């Protein structure tokens, strides 16, 4: 291959603008080595589990379930999910070990624009590197100072890989992404009233940003509000769920949520606050209770029934063998 062609190809793979090559640059170009990453989900990631109820009138801290618990709910027909089914975008950021906080490359892959979504190509000079892979479905994301911020956080997956580039070294690697968010849900036990207009979740200490280098969520100093509206077919139904995703904050920090139902006249129908919520990676934490109906004059309690959805497990399957038939 001619030097001009080699230089142009290297520029394309490194996702940088290129000017006309000159003889002095050819030495740098020839020292670039191709690398390839095959990004996929961990095969243990399964669809959501059905709810397992817990006692009323208490909100205990979530605990990691015992895999041998015979009462643990199991998913219906669990199947492996493909990356493109849960994520629309992959952020690829690579750092040189000599300067581990300054990216040498950052590229965004979209499953609409990228024909072979999940395959990442790059060319790098000889050296030792750390690559970060972050897959998500949010429509808008911002990357600054090694931190990802989102308009509204979605189901998200992450992994890092340290590797060395050089002559004769392995250049193709497989990356298994792991889920790094918790989903917080509020399920209504009362019917959706005809007069309801919107339902707000105002979140304090919300970890909605993610540090690629530490793998931890960063708590916001300002409150974040999500508003859900209601379609005509929602009216009169019970069991409606309102939810949001959360990163896992450093230092075991807890978040709180104020829930407010409002009618078309902007009058508050019901408001209640849930405190001391601990997000747990790869788990759904569900609070079940009255969300819309105005409290009665003699109503004294303001409690939720907490359940960790299917013990919160997205990634465990209990395997049992069928017994042999007796003659």
């Amino acid at each position: 291959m001619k030097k001009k062609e080699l230089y142009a190809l290297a520029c394309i793979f490194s996702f940088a603008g290129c000017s006309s090559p000159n003889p002095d640059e050819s030495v740098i170009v020839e020292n670039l080595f191709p690398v390839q990453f095959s990004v996929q989900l961990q095969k243990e990631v399964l669809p959501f589990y059905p709810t397992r109820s817990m006692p009323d009138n208490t909100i205990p801290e979530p605990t990691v379930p015992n895999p041998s618990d015979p009462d643990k709910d199991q998913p219906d027909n669990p199947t492996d999910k493909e990356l493109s089914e849960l994520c629309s975008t992959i952020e690829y950021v690579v750092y040189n070990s000599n300067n581990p906080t300054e990216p040498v490359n950052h590229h965004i892959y979209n499953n609409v624009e990228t024909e072979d979504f999940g395959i990442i190509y790059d060319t790098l000079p000889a050296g030792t590197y750390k690559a970060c892979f972050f897959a998500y479905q949010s429509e808008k994301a911002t990357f600054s100072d090694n931190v990802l911020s989102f308009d509204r956080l979605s189901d998200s997956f992450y992994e890092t890989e340290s590797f060395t580039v050089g002559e004769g070294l392995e250049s193709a690697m497989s990356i298994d992404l792991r889920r790094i968010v918790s989903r917080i849900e509020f399920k209504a036990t009362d019917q959706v009233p005809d007069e309801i207009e919107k339902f707000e979740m105002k979140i304090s200490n919300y970890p909605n940003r993610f540090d690629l280098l530490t793998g931890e969520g960063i708590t916001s100093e300002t409150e974040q509000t999500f508003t859900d509206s209601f379609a005509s077919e929602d009216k009169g139904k019970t069991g409606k769920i309102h939810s949001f995703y959360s990163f896992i904050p450093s230092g075991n920090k807890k978040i709180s949520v104020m829930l407010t139902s409002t009618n078309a006249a902007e009058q508050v129908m019901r408001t209640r606050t849930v405190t001391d919520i601990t997000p747990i990676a790869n788990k759904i934490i569900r609070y079940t209770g009255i969300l819309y109906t105005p409290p009665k004059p003699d109503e004294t309690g303001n409690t939720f029934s907490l359940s960790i959805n299917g013990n919160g497990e997205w990634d465990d399957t209990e395997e049992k063998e069928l017994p042999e038939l007796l003659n």
Side-chain angles (χ1 to χ4, degrees):
M1 182 180 291
K2 295 180 180 179
K3 289 183 178 180
K4 286 186 178 181
E5 295 172 337
L6 179 61
Y7 181 81
L9 181 60
C11 287
I12 292 173
F13 277 128
S14 59
F15 315 111
C18 299
S19 57
S20 299
N22 59 62
D24 294 334
E25 293 173 326
S26 63
V27 175
I28 298 176
V29 173
E30 290 173 349
N31 285 337
L32 292 177
F33 297 91
V35 292
Q36 174 183 322
F37 304 94
S38 177
V39 182
Q40 60 189 3
L41 299 179
Q42 285 183 344
K43 293 305 180 185
E44 294 80 10
V45 174
L46 303 175
F48 298 141
Y49 284 62
T51 301
R52 180 183 179 185
S53 298
M54 295 182 71
D56 293 339
N57 302 323
T58 58
I59 307 180
E61 285 301 313
T63 57
V64 178
N66 183 352
S68 62
D69 183 2
D71 295 327
K72 186 173 74 172
D73 294 327
Q74 297 299 325
D76 295 329
N77 301 320
T79 57
D80 289 337
K81 293 287 186 179
E82 296 297 329
L83 180 64
S84 59
E85 294 181 72
L86 296 179
C87 304
S88 60
T89 306
I90 301 174
E91 301 258 357
Y92 162 72
V93 187
V94 62
Y95 302 85
N96 192 300
S97 59
N98 295 326
N99 188 4
T101 61
E102 186 68 28
V104 298
N105 203 352
H106 173 216
H107 192 68
I108 300 173
Y109 295 85
N110 188 285
N111 64 358
V112 176
E113 301 170 355
T114 307
E115 188 171 323
D116 50 354
F117 185 69
I119 305 297
I120 295 175
Y121 304 94
D122 200 357
T123 54
L124 297 165
T128 302
Y129 298 88
K130 175 183 178 180
C132 299
F133 307 87
F134 193 102
Y136 57 91
Q137 191 126 24
S138 300
E139 293 184 3
K140 183 179 179 181
T142 304
F143 178 74
S144 178
D145 296 328
N146 304 312
V147 172
L148 279 168
S149 306
F150 299 87
D151 56 343
R152 182 158 184 170
L153 184 59
S154 68
D155 203 358
S156 303
F157 302 82
Y158 166 79
E159 193 52 86
T160 63
E161 179 75 14
S162 297
F163 60 98
T164 302
V165 173
E167 187 69 38
L169 297 178
E170 178 62 43
S171 61
M173 288 157 273
S174 180
I175 308 298
D176 291 334
L177 301 180
R178 53 191 167 88
R179 182 180 272 121
I180 41 82
V181 292
S182 176
R183 195 167 84 191
I184 313 301
E185 294 185 348
F186 302 96
K187 182 177 180 180
T189 56
D190 51 337
Q191 292 183 346
V192 177
D194 290 336
E195 64 272 22
I196 196 168
E197 180 72 15
K198 61 184 179 181
F199 181 84
E200 287 186 345
M201 298 175 286
K202 183 178 291 186
I203 312 165
S204 301
N205 299 323
Y206 184 35
N208 60 346
R209 296 182 296 154
F210 187 79
D211 190 323
L212 282 180
L213 298 181
T214 65
E216 295 178 329
I218 301 175
T219 301
S220 175
E221 296 180 357
T222 59
E223 291 181 328
Q224 174 77 56
T225 300
F226 296 132
T227 302
D228 290 347
S229 57
F230 296 85
S232 58
E233 55 266 26
D234 292 329
K235 303 300 176 63
K237 291 185 176 180
T238 58
K240 185 170 178 61
I241 293 176
H242 306 272
S243 66
F244 62 89
Y245 290 92
S246 171
F247 289 125
I248 313 307
S250 60
N252 198 31
K253 295 179 181 177
K254 301 178 186 299
I255 65 179
S256 62
V257 183
M258 176 180 287
L259 309 173
T260 305
S261 301
T262 309
N263 63 19
E266 295 295 325
Q267 296 174 327
V268 173
M269 301 170 59
R270 191 178 190 104
T271 182
R272 52 194 321 183
T273 301
V274 184
T275 60
D276 295 333
I277 301 175
T278 304
I280 304 175
N282 204 33
K283 297 187 187 296
I284 300 173
I285 300 175
R286 177 179 294 171
Y287 293 86
T288 303
I290 299 174
L291 298 182
Y292 318 121
T293 308
K296 299 176 182 179
D298 59 347
E299 185 175 332
T300 58
N302 189 29
T303 60
F304 275 107
S305 172
L306 167 64
S307 64
I308 303 179
N309 202 29
N311 279 340
E313 292 299 331
W314 287 349
D315 57 1
D316 282 345
T317 301
E318 185 176 69
E319 308 241 359
K320 294 184 177 180
E321 293 184 5
L322 290 174
E324 294 291 337
L325 294 176
L326 299 177
N327 293 330

